Amino acid sequence: MPRLAFDIGFCAQLPKLQGTVRRGVFDAWEKFERLTLDQLFKDPGLKLESLKGARDPHIRTIRIDRGTRGVVLAPDSGDTYVLLRVLPHDSANAWAVKQKASINTATRAVEIRDIAVLEKLTPTYERVAPPPEQRLFARFSDGDLAALGIDGTTLRQARVLTTTEQLEVFAPHFPQDQREVLEYLAAGFTVEEVWRDVVAVSLAAKDTTRPLDPADYDTAIRHTRTRIALVTGEEELREILDKPFAAWRVFLHPSQHKVAYRPSYSGPAQVTGGPGTGKTVVALHRVRHLLRHLRDGDRILLTTYTNALVAALRAGLAELVDDETLRDRVDIMTVDAFAGRMVSTSRRPLRADEEPVRWQQATRNAGFTGSPQFLAQEYKHVILAQNLRTYDQYESAERRGRGSALPAIARPAVWRAVDEFTRRLAADGLRTYLGTCAEAADLLERSGPRYRHVVVDEAQDLHPAQWRLLRAAAPARPDDLFIAGDPHQRIYDSKVSLKALGIKVAGRSTKMRKNYRSTHEILSWSTALLVGRPFAELEDDARHDTLVGYRSALHGSGPETHAANSLEEELAALVARVRVWLDDGIAPGDIGVSTRFNRTCDQVAERLASAGIPAQRLRTDRPTTVEAVNVGTMHSFKGLEYRCVAVVGVHDGALPFPKAVTPVEVDRLQHEADLLAERCLLFVACTRARDELYVSWTGEPSSFLPAT
Ligand SMILES: Nc1ncnc2c1ncn2[C@@H]1O[C@H](COP(=O)(O)OP(=O)(O)OP(=O)(O)O)[C@@H](O)[C@H]1O
């Protein structure tokens, strides 16, 4: 029976396709289900045409609707065809004639390359290339490259390249798996590492005992799980067409699949990687895997940092696990909410704006001569972080990571002030979030764990007190903790070393390097914001994490920046920008506007509304809608994503925000850490964008921005 399968390139186009085109795709698929191959070829409505001048006779086109055609791979063997792209008539033909399909000799998956473009580029680069030994892949033998699936044609083309910039020019046209291999090698990975991380993961679960038949597309299509979706029924196709962003459910990359569906980890496991590498997706799939093996009575805690993310995780899990009773066995909440639930107290959490006054009082009453800010940080980063409960413990504690001297003689006054602060809080019926975590951890350590598994997303911002609570929430057994995080997105001033807390992930840690969210252009611009800065690993803060090999497979336009002379002008430019997006057919709900401050968010929301553009402040107590542009602070955008993102108010007084940066004279190291967190905040905001990024400011731009 014939089938129409779907290529990931088509799925990437989906958000931009009109309803009539989607209906046309559905009708074409339905015809494949109903007719024989012979009938399909004769069907006057489908018009399954071969193309004059095609580089590959197996690439044909079909009619989708008036003026739109689908490009399909129609192999001789088997009866599964693959829809590669849907384009206006002339563009479809122009694109189709240049493509060539093949089966990768190492991964055994189907690949498509733009052979016409590659053949045009190669001689031009060859002419200006330095001697072969100075070129990009000179240190790899032909044999090694062939073993990794590089075929003769790609080999000749790759051999002319000298720099990674040149590879970027060729990359979108190379066959997909071969491109990935070359990108890894160019990023400094060894042949063995590339075999392990690219080829072996792709080969997993495939029958490799039989020799590869380069003409057997039927088997190869089934082996291309990462890029080709074999839709099982009408409902599944409707879901892909209606919820295109949910397509990752079908296209989990083998490297992601391997991490999420590993039967068991002997202890805590960790997945790291830059923004958009699919950490949240992997964490959700892990929950799905754990649910399938959960014993009666056992429960899972899925936790993260912010409420907005809790809402996103809840929606994501609902898309992944249909069975509601099974989903009910997962508690999804922030770590702070979990702590609050454990201690079940009527004491109200202290608001951030109430805290400085209380530290001032404590400083005065205890006769401490240092600054209240110093005290607050000493409490958070030394006393709570090390779980110091008595003065004797504090007296002998190391102040690792602090950049301010504290003579031994001053420690009693610090302790008195902290004691004063916590006693007064309790007397006034108040509590701090972190203090509550410490209490909850004590309670669980005494009463025993509540969950069989704990899965943590956005782990980089959690404080040691929160980690102690999570550690105590599940028994130390295989699959106890699954941790997803990225040190480059640390935007609160928590410092942690999982190793020091007894959470050992060595040998069970995986790093993701491929970004699925943003275009290459947005990613390289955003990554440049962080270049040259040190990022302590989550696991061990003495070691540094890097973004080496981090890349995107998507291409699009680069970020647009706008310098305004006044806030009014900046807001007017924003309105104009958002209008263009809306006119281009982007739904309001696919647009996010982010700023450093709440009050700028209000101004933005008001200005958009007065221009007749529906806008809503991002709130966790109500779902986002497709009808309104989302406006939120950079902090609240953490973990989220939008097709188009505007980051406004990026001026020198906002990033870094002076009040968020500890003065160097109070604590030198904290000053550096705060500056880095402000920089990461801008990075996080910019990397929320899928297709388009717009950045604006009034007056002097933030010093974090690259020179414009
Ligand atoms: N294998 C895949 N194929 C296609 N798209 C994917 C794949 N994996 C993830 N995605 C998509 O990439 C986007 C980013 O994924 P996700 O939010 O999980 O990344 P993340 O690493 O948690 O990002 P961040 O750290 O920035 O919050 C999502 O839209 C997701 O659906």
Side-chain angles (χ1 to χ4, degrees):
M1 195 187 75
R3 302 174 82 182
L4 184 62
F6 297 91
D7 183 82
I8 194 163
F10 159 72
C11 292
Q13 292 183 292
L14 268 169
K16 294 179 186 159
L17 297 183
Q18 306 290 340
T20 52
V21 178
R22 288 190 206 182
R23 258 195 308 284
V25 170
F26 188 86
D27 293 345
W29 172 81
E30 202 262 327
K31 261 187 194 161
F32 271 78
E33 295 286 297
R34 209 162 24 87
L35 305 179
T36 63
L37 265 191
D38 197 38
Q39 288 169 327
L40 283 172
F41 272 96
K42 290 187 183 136
D43 188 81
L46 196 64
K47 288 189 162 179
L48 186 46
E49 286 172 355
S50 56
L51 295 155
K52 244 202 349 246
R55 301 299 301 263
D56 184 339
H58 303 112
I59 308 273
R60 295 168 175 257
T61 60
I62 54 172
R63 181 182 186 277
I64 296 294
D65 77 350
R66 256 186 83 213
T68 312
R69 294 195 70 78
V71 183
V72 290
L73 167 64
D76 292 333
S77 72
D79 46 13
T80 305
Y81 286 18
V82 185
L83 181 64
L84 302 171
R85 295 285 189 285
V86 168
L87 295 162
H89 185 283
D90 292 352
S91 319
N93 284 354
W95 187 81
V97 293
K98 297 191 298 167
Q99 310 303 311
K100 186 168 169 31
S102 55
I103 299 175
N104 187 296
T105 51
T107 64
R108 298 183 171 227
V110 177
E111 298 178 302
I112 308 287
R113 74 189 81 188
D114 192 323
I115 189 72
V117 169
L118 288 165
E119 284 183 358
K120 207 162 150 200
L121 287 173
T122 309
T124 316
Y125 281 74
E126 175 86 80
R127 270 197 295 281
V128 295
E133 63 280 6
Q134 291 172 24
R135 299 189 196 170
L136 190 57
F137 298 108
R139 61 199 171 94
F140 304 105
S141 72
D142 288 358
D144 277 345
L145 292 174
L148 294 173
I150 304 297
D151 62 31
T153 311
T154 306
L155 182 71
R156 272 193 305 283
Q157 292 158 349
R159 286 279 183 225
V160 307
L161 302 174
T162 309
T163 61
T164 47
E165 287 74 23
Q166 294 182 350
L167 176 60
E168 279 176 18
V169 176
F170 277 57
H173 313 292
F174 272 143
Q176 297 94 329
D177 284 347
Q178 299 184 54
R179 165 198 178 152
E180 196 158 353
V181 162
L182 293 173
E183 285 178 338
Y184 267 84
L185 293 174
F189 292 87
T190 63
V191 171
E192 290 70 28
E193 284 166 336
V194 179
W195 173 267
R196 189 193 59 208
D197 291 351
V198 183
V199 181
V201 280
S202 179
L203 278 180
K206 289 178 192 168
D207 174 13
T208 51
T209 51
R210 281 192 309 183
L212 177 77
D213 175 357
D216 180 7
Y217 274 89
D218 209 37
T219 309
I221 287 171
R222 276 187 283 110
H223 279 174
T224 316
R225 264 211 350 249
T226 51
R227 287 190 297 274
I228 299 178
L230 292 163
V231 175
T232 51
E234 195 177 313
E235 208 173 300
E236 192 180 348
L237 178 58
R238 278 196 199 287
E239 195 156 88
I240 292 185
L241 294 177
D242 295 345
K243 290 192 242 164
F245 286 171
W248 51 260
R249 283 179 54 173
V250 189
F251 293 117
L252 207 57
H253 189 271
S255 56
Q256 297 172 318
H257 195 273
K258 190 174 152 199
V259 175
Y261 289 98
R262 178 165 152 162
S264 179
Y265 291 96
S266 55
Q270 174 187 253
V271 53
T272 64
T277 48
K279 298 180 297 295
T280 303
V281 164
V282 167
L284 286 169
H285 278 270
R286 187 68 192 162
V287 172
R288 184 197 207 197
H289 169 78
L290 294 171
L291 273 175
R292 285 178 184 162
H293 301 91
L294 206 59
R295 298 238 175 106
D296 280 354
D298 283 348
R299 297 187 64 76
I300 299 174
L301 173 65
L302 171 59
T303 188
T304 185
Y305 201 81
T306 63
N307 283 312
L309 271 173
V310 165
L313 289 175
R314 196 164 284 135
L317 194 68
E319 285 196 39
L320 208 55
V321 180
D322 290 332
D323 183 342
E324 209 174 316
T325 44
L326 207 53
R327 271 202 327 263
D328 282 348
R329 298 179 69 183
V330 187
D331 287 328
I332 310 180
M333 58 188 142
T334 62
V335 184
D336 287 335
F338 172 51
R341 191 186 275 196
M342 284 300 103
V343 298
S344 73
T345 168
S346 57
R347 282 175 290 144
R348 171 176 75 75
L350 190 66
R351 290 195 313 271
D353 61 326
E354 295 173 317
E355 211 174 315
V357 184
R358 290 191 164 258
W359 281 115
Q360 259 168 23
Q361 276 171 354
T363 311
R364 245 191 342 263
N365 296 350
F368 178 64
T369 50
S371 75
Q373 188 178 20
F374 171 89
L375 259 191
Q377 291 177 349
E378 189 75 1
Y379 176 58
K380 180 173 178 182
H381 296 305
V382 179
I383 296 173
L384 274 178
Q386 294 183 40
N387 199 19
L388 307 174
R389 300 300 171 93
T390 63
Y391 176 68
D392 286 348
Q393 288 172 339
Y394 178 56
E395 191 181 27
S396 55
E398 263 191 56
R399 297 177 63 253
R400 225 181 118 240
R402 304 288 293 140
S404 49
L406 182 72
I409 197 168
R411 287 203 189 196
V414 171
W415 191 257
R416 271 200 311 277
V418 167
D419 190 47
E420 161 88 11
F421 173 82
T422 47
R423 265 190 309 106
R424 264 183 191 266
L425 271 189
D428 296 342
L430 294 166
R431 62 190 172 96
T432 60
Y433 283 113
L434 285 181
T436 314
C437 287
E439 274 181 54
D442 285 354
L443 201 140
L444 284 182
E445 276 160 14
R446 284 196 305 272
S447 66
R450 299 291 157 100
Y451 293 96
R452 171 64 187 90
H453 312 282
V454 174
V455 177
V456 192
D457 193 17
E458 299 284 339
Q460 68 276 2
D461 279 317
L462 296 181
H463 181 274
Q466 295 173 311
W467 280 113
R468 256 196 310 278
L469 170 62
L470 296 180
R471 175 60 286 177
R477 281 171 51 187
D479 300 309
D480 46 3
L481 296 171
F482 187 86
I483 299 161
D486 174 17
H488 302 92
Q489 298 183 64
R490 196 172 266 145
I491 56 174
Y492 295 91
D493 65 342
S494 289
K495 297 185 199 93
V496 75
S497 161
L498 293 180
K499 199 167 102 182
L501 287 163
I503 301 176
K504 300 208 174 86
V505 294
R508 294 180 293 270
S509 182
T510 311
K511 187 154 170 181
M512 303 288 171
R513 293 193 170 84
K514 188 165 177 179
N515 177 303
Y516 295 96
R517 176 185 298 136
S518 312
T519 63
H520 166 82
E521 289 75 9
I522 292 176
L523 210 62
S524 27
W525 188 87
S526 306
T527 308
L529 298 170
L530 302 186
V531 164
R533 317 278 147 181
F535 291 94
E537 273 185 4
L538 279 179
E539 181 186 353
D540 179 354
D541 61 359
R543 293 207 315 241
H544 285 165
D545 197 346
T546 72
L547 286 172
V548 170
Y550 178 53
R551 70 209 182 282
S552 163
L554 312 163
H555 273 268
S557 48
E560 182 188 328
T561 53
H562 179 84
N565 290 320
S566 67
L567 180 62
E568 182 45 37
E569 188 199 324
E570 189 180 359
L571 293 177
L574 171 72
V575 167
R577 181 67 257 178
V578 171
R579 272 232 170 85
V580 172
W581 284 333
L582 295 173
D583 291 346
D584 283 349
I586 311 278
D590 284 336
I591 300 173
V593 183
S594 144
T595 78
R596 178 68 179 83
F597 308 116
N598 269 305
R599 91 182 115 77
T600 328
C601 285
D602 290 337
Q603 288 166 324
V604 164
E606 264 170 42
R607 188 68 183 74
L608 288 173
S610 66
I613 298 172
Q616 69 174 17
R617 285 294 307 268
L618 195 68
R619 290 229 317 250
T620 49
D621 54 351
R622 74 171 169 224
T624 53
T625 75
V626 288
E627 283 99 38
V629 171
N630 299 284
V631 184
T633 60
M634 295 181 178
H635 283 95
S636 68
F637 264 38
K638 182 185 173 72
L640 307 180
E641 69 182 29
Y642 299 96
R643 280 187 64 189
C644 302
V645 168
V647 186
V648 301
V650 188
H651 58 81
D652 64 344
L655 284 150
F657 180 42
K659 276 194 180 161
V661 180
T662 306
V664 74
E665 59 279 10
V666 172
D667 191 304
R668 186 178 46 81
L669 294 179
Q670 190 63 46
H671 173 81
E672 294 298 329
D674 292 344
L675 271 179
L676 193 58
E678 289 285 295
R679 189 179 276 277
C680 291
L681 191 56
L682 182 58
F683 175 68
V684 167
C686 294
T687 52
R688 304 304 94 201
R690 290 184 75 99
D691 302 337
E692 302 222 359
L693 171 65
Y694 169 87
V695 179
S696 73
W697 59 89
T698 300
E700 280 302 307
S702 161
S703 57
F704 296 155
L705 289 173
T708 42

